[in-house]
Amino acid sequence: MNTEINKHPHRRYNILTGEWILVSPHRTKRPWQGKTEKNSKEERETYDPSCYLCPGNSRAGGETNPNYEGAHSFENDFPALLTEAPVKDFENGLLKAEAETGICKVVCFSPDHSLTLPLMEVKDITEVVGLWKKEYLDLGNKNNINYVQIFENKGSMMGCSNPHPHGQIWSQKSIPTEILKKSKHFKDYWNENKSSLLGDYLKQELELNERILAQNEHFVALIPYWAVWPYETMIIPRKHYQHIGQLNTAEEKAFAEIIKKLTIKYDNLFETSFPYSSGIHQIPTDGKAYPEWHFHMSFYPPLLRSATVKKFMVGYEMFAGPQRDITAEQAANNLNELSDIHYLKQ
């Protein structure tokens, strides 16, 4: 790649959404005089009697958790979506609304309150992957569930209300905007080339080897060329799979290995429990065929300069479009220089 592009302002195109991002690498030289915070080095016990996600404890909604010993899921006590929608669709001139229904679930990754994904064993992360797979298939087979979104908000910086290792699944009647945007570009490319958009992109990334972070027989982790967040990453299956329900046992373990390796890199970058929002994008569950789709998992972390300095989406980003200072290649180099052993175990 032209090295000059890493020195001067330019725009990069997101092949999945059709959107552009402004990249301003020269701004990394500016002095920082903004907000700083102390890095929290909180140590948690393996069991917290006040935690509503720990085994055997009462939840906020009044239910009692079973004494689960591995990955565990349950319906959210305070869901964003409900199975019944008493409101009716509404349209009055330029004012429009429609009823939305769905099922929201919580996925506890481990009974151990002190853990996070990078500190868990591969076999235990594999169990989480297996539960994601089961929930995707089970929820997707229900009537009026046309999309299943699996995600995790890690850390208080990302709005996580409970430090117990967990994620969420929101399944709903409508297909979300991000999925509709990606579906269009997947389909347009498929119709023109009769091949997977992400599959062909992955081949090019592997050839260039400029943004690759980790890989094994079945998965590759990289920083997308069009990444918005400073250390945004994506995990892509080598095979052209539309959803995680297609993974076999070996592939589930390989997925877990890549997740662990990537999140260890994150924690090692600033020697902190690295915050992020992660999510899996895969085909809708509306019964239609989506041969063009290629499922993937993205991580959007806010940290930029240290464990306490965040990248805020403000100003230009809010009113014009996404912008970043550090390039995808610089971010990849920073992560690739780090150890594969978690800093707490070195």
Side-chain angles (χ1 to χ4, degrees):
M1 195 171 101
N2 184 353
T3 56
E4 291 300 310
I5 204 170
N6 274 318
K7 299 178 182 178
H8 304 289
H10 60 279
R11 295 200 308 160
R12 298 193 182 191
Y13 182 69
N14 185 332
I15 60 173
L16 298 181
T17 65
E19 299 167 345
W20 291 86
I21 171 176
L22 174 63
V23 184
S24 312
H26 59 292
R27 280 167 53 89
T28 56
K29 299 177 182 179
R30 64 188 173 125
W32 176 256
Q33 292 182 313
K35 182 178 180 181
T36 59
E37 303 160 351
K38 289 186 178 179
N39 181 18
S40 174
K41 295 185 178 180
E42 173 190 12
E43 293 185 5
R44 300 199 306 270
E45 298 294 331
T46 59
Y47 169 74
D48 181 352
S50 66
C51 171
Y52 60 81
L53 296 182
C54 277
N57 287 359
S58 295
R59 300 204 304 268
E63 299 290 330
T64 300
N65 293 323
N67 289 310
Y68 64 92
E69 298 181 350
H72 169 65
S73 64
F74 61 90
E75 287 201 25
N76 198 318
D77 296 315
F78 301 95
L81 296 161
L82 302 174
T83 55
E84 301 293 334
V87 299
K88 297 181 179 179
D89 294 354
F90 171 84
E91 187 166 3
N92 181 9
L94 297 177
L95 309 180
K96 185 177 182 179
E98 62 181 25
E100 180 66 300
T101 56
I103 300 170
C104 296
K105 306 196 80 169
V106 175
V107 178
C108 295
F109 298 158
S110 169
D112 190 330
H113 185 78
S114 69
L115 295 180
T116 56
L117 286 174
L119 294 173
M120 289 171 59
E121 299 296 328
V122 168
K123 64 179 180 63
D124 297 321
I125 303 175
T126 304
E127 189 174 338
V128 174
V129 172
L131 185 53
W132 285 341
K133 175 179 172 179
K134 178 180 183 301
E135 290 288 2
Y136 172 80
L137 294 173
D138 288 350
L139 289 167
N141 282 330
K142 294 182 180 295
N143 291 331
N144 291 325
I145 295 296
N146 294 318
Y147 188 72
V148 179
Q149 180 60 64
I150 298 168
F151 66 96
E152 178 194 5
N153 293 322
K154 178 174 178 257
S156 58
M157 192 180 290
M158 302 308 295
C160 182
S161 60
N162 189 311
H164 193 100
H166 75 284
Q168 298 185 58
I169 302 175
W170 292 11
S171 57
Q172 61 192 99
K173 181 177 70 173
S174 69
I175 300 175
T177 303
E178 285 298 303
I179 304 307
L180 292 174
K181 287 192 293 187
K182 290 189 175 183
S183 289
K184 178 186 183 305
H185 289 85
F186 273 128
K187 191 168 186 176
D188 287 349
Y189 189 88
W190 178 265
N191 289 339
E192 183 176 347
N193 300 279
K194 296 297 182 287
S195 60
S196 162
L197 173 60
L198 262 189
D200 289 351
Y201 168 71
L202 181 57
K203 290 176 185 176
Q204 186 174 358
E205 285 286 21
L206 289 169
E207 290 173 0
L208 293 171
N209 196 28
E210 293 179 335
R211 288 167 291 273
I212 302 297
L213 300 175
Q215 56 181 302
N216 56 31
E217 183 181 355
H218 301 292
F219 287 89
V220 177
L222 52 80
I223 294 189
Y225 179 72
W226 55 84
V228 172
W229 294 95
Y231 289 96
E232 176 181 331
T233 58
M234 180 183 290
I235 297 176
I236 307 172
R238 292 180 185 269
K239 290 184 180 178
H240 181 195
Y241 285 152
Q242 285 75 46
H243 58 82
I244 59 172
Q246 296 167 302
L247 298 178
N248 61 33
T249 302
E251 290 163 339
E252 289 176 22
K253 181 182 178 183
F255 194 11
E257 289 171 347
I258 286 289
I259 290 172
K260 180 176 175 65
K261 183 170 287 190
L262 176 59
T263 52
I264 285 176
K265 291 279 192 181
Y266 273 159
D267 279 12
N268 285 350
L269 182 61
F270 299 130
E271 296 193 351
T272 190
S273 185
F274 206 81
Y276 58 74
S277 282
S278 66
I280 301 174
H281 275 173
Q282 47 200 330
I283 63 169
T285 56
D286 56 1
K288 298 178 182 178
Y290 292 88
E292 69 277 5
W293 252 88
H294 198 136
F295 97 79
H296 50 286
M297 184 176 190
S298 295
F299 291 75
Y300 301 154
L303 295 182
L304 172 60
R305 301 169 187 269
S306 71
T308 62
V309 177
K310 298 173 271 195
K311 161 69 175 178
F312 290 95
M313 290 294 180
V314 296
Y316 183 90
E317 290 95 341
M318 294 177 71
F319 294 101
Q323 181 271 341
R324 65 180 285 145
D325 294 345
I326 181 174
T327 66
E329 296 74 42
Q330 291 166 339
N333 287 337
N334 291 343
L335 290 175
N336 279 326
E337 289 175 355
L338 301 171
S339 171
D340 289 330
I341 301 173
H342 198 278
Y343 73 94
L344 291 177
K345 299 183 178 182
Q346 292 180 21

